[in-house]
Amino acid sequence: MADIVNGVAAEVKVLADASGLELTRSALPSCPAFGDPDVIRRLLLILVDNAIKYTPEGGKIEVRLDIE
């Protein structure tokens, strides 16, 4: 999961920067996930893309993977 989170954040960083947004990410290195990695990646991309589209300029977006 950490690889997916970090990869998605890296992919959309350019879009966030172009929109005047601060994008941060943090991911625990060993967080288990059950499911198709490609589907999880696509879902995360959709969520972050929506955050970029609907966050006002100067806003902050945090992509975080944590276990609670």
Side-chain angles (χ1 to χ4, degrees):
M1 277 302 297
D3 289 341
I4 293 171
V5 168
N6 290 325
V8 166
E11 283 181 53
V12 299
K13 178 93 170 96
V14 174
L15 295 174
D17 290 344
S19 297
L21 302 171
E22 179 184 344
L23 177 75
T24 60
R25 69 176 184 246
S26 64
L28 293 175
S30 60
C31 181
F34 302 98
D36 185 329
D38 291 330
V39 173
I40 294 170
R41 182 184 162 283
R42 282 195 303 267
L43 290 172
L44 186 56
L45 270 171
I46 290 167
L47 290 172
V48 176
D49 184 58
N50 282 340
I52 290 170
K53 285 180 186 175
Y54 298 107
T55 300
E57 186 174 344
K60 297 179 183 181
I61 299 169
E62 180 181 7
V63 180
R64 181 177 58 183
L65 175 64
D66 199 353
I67 299 174
E68 292 192 24

